[in-house]
Amino acid sequence: MSVQRLIIMSNRGPYHIHVTKQGIKREKTVGGLVTSILPMVERWGGVWISWGEPEGRYPGSAKPLNFDLHYIGLTPEELQGYYLGLANNALWPLCHYFLGRVHYDNSQWQMYQQVNRKFAKVALEEAQAGDLIWVHDYHLACVPQYLREAQTSNRIVFFWHIPFPAAELFRTLPWRRPFLESLLACDLIGFHVPEFAENFIETAIEVLDAQFKGSSLEYGGRTTQIIARPIGIDYVGVAKQAQSSITEKRVRGLRKTLNGQKIILGVERMDYTKGIVERLQAMEYLLEHHPELRRSITLVQLVTPSRADVEAYRQRKREIDEMVGRINGRFSDGIWVPIRYQYRSFSPAELVAYYRAADIALVTPLRDGLNLVAKEYVASRTQTDGVLILSEFAGVARQLLEALMVNPYSSEDMAGIIVQALQMPKDEQRKRMQAMQDRIKREDINWWAEEFLNQKVCLEDRKDL
Ligand code: ADQ
């Protein structure tokens, strides 16, 4: 009777599906959630439910997939209200502390609930006794409540991938009560770092008068365990890729193209929270105040398109295009170009080559739930050198303590830290890199999954772990 699979629920699925004459083709999607959850569901099997086209069920088989995909179709109105509206124009900026960008709209909230109901309905169709329903992220916060209303006996766990803001901010959400009540319909909620878990607990106490006991919140006759565990990466897989001969070849090619200049690397989705504009400002400040560094450093900035249907994102892209053009126009000398900017998606193998080639990684989000790019850079440094510059406001700063920490809002601070990184002796680079590698190798994606699934509330149904 007991099937014990994972029912993963997230807004985006792990693949874009292309129906061709030759059959179905899958193309991996880009983003932190998919990167981290995919190895887990590949290992344990089950069903991944997400929004996607074409709508329908795509059964996996042991090869190439060990799990089924179930894509839910959404109407343009649903997409507009739920995804572009409430998720991206209200919850995302709210949770990243951009209150000025938050737009609350009751009709979008209605759509959000309608779509969450659709997801819950599909989960109820898919779930078999003993399956663990694992809901991911802020797009689907109402799903647990709808599952409970349908009297599901399955365990429900939730992972919140983005920051959870201070109670003072979250309380501005007009629908804070139903939102929090739904989350507390779960058996377990996970956050990346203790600060977010504490914010959530405080908000639930303030808004719902929930009781906090031990490591759990009690509300409405239910107990919800709260944990903080930073998501891990497939460390061994990344390190293996970094050592491959194809990577070696690519690294040599990149270094040759850049004529032996020191490579400073930025990699992210196009998003105002990632601090790309602020990084470009810092680069301009650096080149202005340290003319001796001109012609000896290059910022390689890789940006993958994201949420291009949201006006704020399109506007940010225009701003970045214009800034890159202006800074390059100001400092280039015909041979040397200070910023090499590419706006497209890269394969994991290509990214690893950039990580290997880069002397410095600039991971400077204005706020971030965790940040996997920082971890991927560290895992790729198989020669144990290189310097990671990390924003104080990324969740991962709580884990990668040996990185050089920076305030991304300060060009002066950023420029100073880049100079420090450029001058860091190899011995110190190694010491810092080794310590970070040891930690993220130990706390990899398998560690994270097991830490999560080995919690008592999950184990009661999963005897196979
Ligand atoms: P994201 O905001 O998407 O994730 P992040 O954690 O950095 O941020 O993950 C991005 C992923 O996309 C990485 O695996 C990276 O390799 C990949 N990527 C970035 N730029 C790319 C490019 N140009 N081409 C191809 N791939 C690219 C959300 C939260 C984070 C949290 C994760 C996981 O916002 O804070 O760390 O979920 O929980």
Side-chain angles (χ1 to χ4, degrees), residues 32 35 161 192 269 274 304 346 351 368-372 376:
T35 311
H161 289 258
H192 285 301
R269 287 186 301 100
K274 299 292 182 184
T304 191
F346 293 81
L351 276 188
D368 218 331
L370 190 75
N371 192 293
L372 295 176
E376 291 163 359

Side-chain angles (χ1 to χ4, degrees), residues 239-250:
K240 207 167 140 204
Q241 177 79 58
Q243 282 167 311
S244 69
S245 52
I246 174 97
T247 301
E248 288 287 351
K249 204 169 145 212
R250 281 193 168 122

